[in-house]
Amino acid sequence: RDIVAHFPYPVIRFFILTGHYRMPINFSDELLRAAQTSLQRISTCAANLKFNLEGDAEGDGSADEELIKAVEESKNSFIAHMDDDLNTADAITDIFGLVKTANTAVSSGKASKAALKQAYDILLEITGVLGIELSAEEDNGIPAEITELVEQRAAAKKNKDFAEADRIRDLITSKG
């Protein structure tokens, strides 16, 4: 009850999953904050994938091969780690491998919607196995102004106006 007063249940669940069930758990505010940040990183990746899937811009597919390979490797490795005495700590490492590659593909703007959809579906599938609910967290309260700026940046990148895209990115970053 003391922990729940400071951290929501999904963060506590994620924190517990980062260790092996046979090992003792050391609780600290610092470790729980790190778990909260990690969980937010996964949620942000899912939200970014979903946002790009719903948008009009589509990449040329040049990042598809790397993304699809990472999706398959992450899923297979995740299954192997779960089969290895329910090794959730290493399974979460596989999730972060997928998150890193997906974030790279999204930021490059070169992945096709089909590849992004595959990454999104697998991310939801493997996080769902661990009870990490991302679907409820996808609507993270991004203000309409920021969403509009992101769309303008995507359009600028598509038109190869990289100076404008960089300016908009800096504006978004300055607004937090």
Side-chain angles (χ1 to χ4, degrees):
R1 290 186 187 124
D2 294 339
I3 296 170
V4 174
H6 302 285
F7 297 95
Y9 285 112
V11 171
I12 297 168
R13 172 187 287 222
F14 184 79
F15 172 74
I16 291 170
L17 288 170
T18 60
H20 195 277
Y21 72 92
R22 291 186 182 186
M23 302 301 290
I25 297 174
N26 294 320
F27 284 98
S28 75
D29 283 349
E30 182 179 321
L31 292 173
L32 284 163
R33 277 192 295 278
Q36 189 169 29
T37 301
S38 296
L39 185 58
Q40 184 59 45
R41 183 173 170 217
I42 297 169
S43 296
T44 300
C45 178
N48 287 340
L49 285 167
K50 185 176 183 188
F51 178 81
N52 278 274
L53 287 170
E54 293 173 349
D56 294 332
E58 177 156 4
D60 59 10
S62 60
D64 287 2
E65 184 178 338
E66 182 181 351
L67 180 57
I68 290 170
K69 181 180 177 188
V71 166
E72 291 171 2
E73 287 176 356
S74 294
K75 182 179 180 181
N76 293 336
S77 183
F78 178 88
I79 291 168
H81 285 121
M82 292 301 286
D83 286 345
D84 180 25
D85 197 24
L86 203 62
N87 189 346
T88 57
D90 286 345
I92 288 174
T93 300
D94 297 325
I95 292 171
F96 281 110
L98 175 58
V99 165
K100 179 180 178 184
T101 306
N103 283 339
T104 301
V106 166
S107 66
S108 75
K110 296 181 179 180
S112 69
K113 287 191 184 240
L116 293 176
K117 174 83 170 117
Q118 186 176 357
Y120 179 73
D121 290 345
I122 294 299
L123 181 61
L124 291 182
E125 180 182 335
I126 64 179
T127 55
V129 168
L130 296 176
I132 300 170
E133 298 292 332
L134 300 178
S135 57
E137 297 172 5
E138 289 173 36
D139 180 16
N140 55 7
I142 297 174
E145 175 190 6
I146 300 300
T147 302
E148 185 177 324
L149 286 171
V150 169
E151 290 171 1
Q152 290 173 7
R153 181 170 183 258
K157 285 174 66 176
K158 185 176 182 181
N159 295 331
K160 300 196 185 308
D161 186 358
F162 298 112
E164 177 67 7
D166 289 346
R167 185 191 70 76
I168 293 171
R169 181 196 62 224
D170 293 342
L171 181 62
I172 292 170
T173 302
S174 72
K175 293 178 181 276

